[in-house]
Amino acid sequence: MAGTQGLIYLGNEYKMKMLKQLCALVLVVCSVFVTHSAMAQEEAPDAMIRRISQEVQNIAKSDQSIQGGNMSRMVAVVEEKILPYVDFERMTSLAAGRFWRQANPEQQKQLIAAFRSLLIYTYSGALSQVRDQKIEFRPLKLDPGATDVEVRSRVIQPQGDPILLNYRVEKTSGSWKMYDVNVMGAWLVETYKGTFSTEIGKGGIDGLIQVLADKNKQLATRSGK
């Protein structure tokens, strides 16, 4: 579709295909809730991602409703498992770029909420694709006092070449949160940034919020929520 009724990656089916693949890989490694916050604070970022990758794979492979593409179930899983480990405020501000400072506090709040919902639905749509991928992590040298690191890994697929997959993770308030992901050289935030800029150029911050809201409404209808 075109205009405000289309996906945020307007007019580029290739980008959308790559985004879906990217989000599926993100879910393999990032979509799980840590049951004890003190443990999360003590874990190194690569250890956290390594541990949760196996857990989310187990969930995706064992849940028949996810395997069957039940969107409501997938949305519920993502809301429970991934949200505590994503810094949506930083991700949104980076995607908005220079326009972020032009938005007033209420616009910023609405934009974060709309972008958060879009990512939830995008991740949910990819969750059923998780199968038998394996993750290999590169050693991480974590300097004392480091608060912003890149965790590097690669996804080993049953068929095809390995896929490089890196994460930008920041420590805030004593815990690590992901704010960007790179698949084979393409950062997620940068992928959104260009389209955000285009939509803001058309209708300002409010126009971008409306575009996201329209898309989220369509996705909510499809998921039965």
Side-chain angles (χ1 to χ4, degrees):
M1 298 182 185
T4 60
Q5 299 301 314
L7 289 172
I8 193 60
Y9 299 95
L10 302 177
N12 196 325
E13 294 181 0
Y14 177 75
K15 282 187 177 181
M16 278 304 303
K17 181 178 180 181
M18 292 301 296
L19 175 63
K20 289 179 181 179
Q21 294 174 350
L22 181 153
C23 290
L25 294 173
V26 172
L27 283 164
V28 172
V29 183
C30 297
S31 307
V32 69
F33 178 75
V34 174
T35 58
H36 196 288
S37 60
M39 180 175 68
Q41 294 175 12
E42 295 169 0
E43 280 187 312
D46 58 334
M48 178 188 72
I49 293 176
R50 183 181 295 109
R51 175 178 55 79
I52 65 180
S53 65
Q54 186 60 58
E55 184 170 346
V56 73
Q57 280 185 303
N58 291 342
I59 294 171
K61 289 190 293 185
S62 63
D63 193 315
Q64 294 300 314
S65 61
I66 290 177
Q67 295 284 321
N70 185 316
M71 181 60 76
S72 294
R73 172 58 180 156
M74 289 187 285
V75 168
V77 170
V78 170
E79 288 177 337
E80 178 187 358
K81 303 298 183 180
I82 193 171
L83 298 195
Y85 282 87
V86 177
D87 187 342
F88 283 106
E89 181 172 355
R90 184 168 188 191
M91 185 177 285
T92 306
S93 67
L94 290 172
R98 62 187 176 87
F99 299 105
W100 182 252
R101 292 187 296 273
Q102 299 176 15
N104 61 46
E106 180 59 28
Q107 288 175 320
Q108 291 179 350
K109 180 180 178 180
Q110 292 180 25
L111 187 55
I112 291 170
F115 190 32
R116 176 179 177 273
S117 294
L118 179 63
L119 290 175
I120 290 171
Y121 287 121
T122 304
Y123 293 158
S124 298
L127 184 57
S128 62
Q129 300 177 33
V130 176
R131 289 294 184 272
D132 297 320
Q133 299 94 337
K134 296 181 180 179
I135 312 297
E136 293 181 353
F137 292 89
R138 295 182 59 181
L140 174 66
K141 183 179 179 181
L142 188 62
D143 295 329
T147 59
D148 197 318
V149 300
E150 184 175 327
V151 177
R152 299 180 179 181
S153 69
R154 64 176 189 166
V155 179
I156 308 301
Q157 306 179 92
Q159 297 180 346
D161 296 330
I163 298 175
L164 299 181
L165 181 63
N166 301 334
Y167 302 87
R168 285 176 176 157
V169 189
E170 182 181 29
K171 192 173 187 179
T172 58
S173 302
S175 62
W176 293 96
K177 288 192 175 184
M178 182 191 72
Y179 67 90
D180 206 355
V181 60
N182 184 304
V183 176
M184 300 181 69
W187 287 103
L188 177 64
V189 165
E190 283 299 316
T191 304
Y192 279 103
K193 192 173 184 178
T195 305
F196 273 30
S197 178
T198 298
E199 294 301 328
I200 291 172
K202 293 177 181 177
I205 296 293
D206 288 334
L208 173 59
I209 293 171
Q210 188 61 54
V211 168
L212 295 173
D214 289 344
K215 182 56 189 176
N216 288 332
K217 185 180 296 185
Q218 294 175 15
L219 293 172
T221 300
R222 293 177 190 173
S223 69
K225 298 193 71 176

